[in-house]
Amino acid sequence: MTIRPRPLVAGNWKMNGLKASLPELAAIRDGVMAGAFGRAEAAICPPATLVSLAVELAQGSELAIGGQDCHAKVSGAHTGDVSAQMLKDLGVTYVIVGHSERRTDHSESSAQVRAKAEAAITAGLIAIVCVGESEAQRRAGETLSVVGQQMDESWPAGATAATLVIAYEPIWAIGTGLTPTAQDVAEVHAFLRARAVKLGAVEGAGVRLLYGGSVKPSNAAELMGVPDVDGALVGGASLTAKDFLGIAAAYKG
Ligand code: PEP
């Protein structure tokens, strides 16, 4: 029997949240402390403006805090950017890189994503690298070739099971309420696992593969029960403690 890694349920708040949202984060933290996530680990990635306050709020609990992006350089003339080292300095554990919204809004290439992931790992963070196909690519039967190429080109040198997480996020499922079938997710995750083993050998076998895209309390158990799904990256449903803790129920008991 293969021993699977500890699952991770990570919330991506995107460009949402003000200081007034901190009580919601506190409720998530309290749920984590009360054991709501069972054997899974929980993380929230708030906008950069709230990271410091979020780290303070999560201090002493098992709720991890993450960033949503980082620059590939440590410091320098890059107005508006935040480096991995700066996030680490705040006490952050994870950073998402290569989210499809950044690949689209900021034209980020997989080579840039790889450089960001390598910077994150060098700074002592765990990189959550996102891959996923568009609706047109899925319709054209290109899903596996698209995510395979993204994996190859975004995979950070020297990544280990402890420093890298891959999130499969079909773009057409993000924020739409649509999800692939469990069978479709199983096909992609089996493919990604084989690719991870090819790229990272034994470490690739242990890298956590998250599913992301319209995960909510009502579909979490089914999606999290798919083989080789080691957790979820959650957008909209991570904004309220009620929904995020509802998703956690997939790992209770
Ligand atoms: C995301 O953007 O990472 C995401 C999974 O969003 P949602 O859960 O809202 O589809």
Side-chain angles (χ1 to χ4, degrees):
M1 196 182 95
T2 342
I3 300 172
R4 296 304 315 146
R6 187 179 180 200
L8 168 68
V9 181
N12 172 14
W13 278 16
K14 310 191 185 193
M15 198 173 71
N16 296 294
L18 301 171
K19 282 189 281 178
S21 320
L22 291 174
E24 211 63 52
L25 189 65
I28 290 172
R29 174 204 59 200
D30 293 348
V32 171
M33 288 174 82
F37 282 78
R39 65 194 170 84
E41 188 185 347
I44 290 288
C45 305
T49 49
L50 291 181
V51 166
S52 189
L53 291 168
V55 168
E56 255 174 57
L57 194 143
Q59 202 106 49
S61 78
E62 283 212 356
L63 174 65
I65 301 300
Q68 297 178 10
D69 179 51
C70 67
H71 197 279
K73 298 251 167 66
V74 171
S75 61
H78 302 288
T79 303
D81 278 316
V82 170
S83 75
Q85 195 187 45
M86 289 168 175
L87 291 171
K88 179 68 182 175
D89 188 44
L90 292 180
V92 157
T93 306
Y94 290 95
V95 64
I96 300 169
V97 291
H99 190 282
S100 60
E101 286 152 16
R102 291 209 59 90
R103 288 181 188 259
T104 304
D105 294 357
H106 301 272
S107 308
E108 285 186 9
S109 66
S110 287
Q112 285 170 303
V113 173
R114 175 190 166 127
K116 288 176 178 215
E118 287 173 353
I121 293 171
T122 301
L125 299 176
I126 302 169
I128 303 176
V129 173
C130 303
V131 298
E133 82 286 2
S134 68
E135 191 180 3
Q137 289 164 333
R138 172 159 285 263
R139 280 221 211 93
E142 295 169 358
T143 298
L144 299 185
S145 62
V146 167
V147 298
Q149 188 174 353
Q150 287 175 334
M151 277 276 274
D152 291 350
E153 294 175 0
S154 309
W155 188 272
T160 68
T163 59
L164 178 65
V165 175
I166 299 288
Y168 167 55
E169 298 209 304
I171 298 169
W172 52 272
I174 294 178
T176 59
L178 302 172
T179 55
T181 63
Q183 205 180 337
D184 288 340
V185 174
E187 186 195 10
V188 176
H189 276 241
F191 173 83
L192 292 178
R193 177 61 66 204
R195 204 69 161 214
V197 169
K198 194 170 151 224
L199 290 161
V202 69
E203 294 297 334
V207 158
R208 289 175 288 182
L209 301 179
L210 312 186
Y211 166 77
S214 294
V215 176
K216 45 190 182 222
S218 58
N219 62 20
E222 187 189 11
L223 290 165
M224 299 306 100
V226 171
D228 264 317
V229 171
D230 306 310
L233 183 54
V234 184
S238 69
L239 292 170
T240 65
K242 183 172 165 282
D243 285 345
F244 197 56
L245 298 176
I247 289 169
Y251 287 107
K252 265 208 103 183

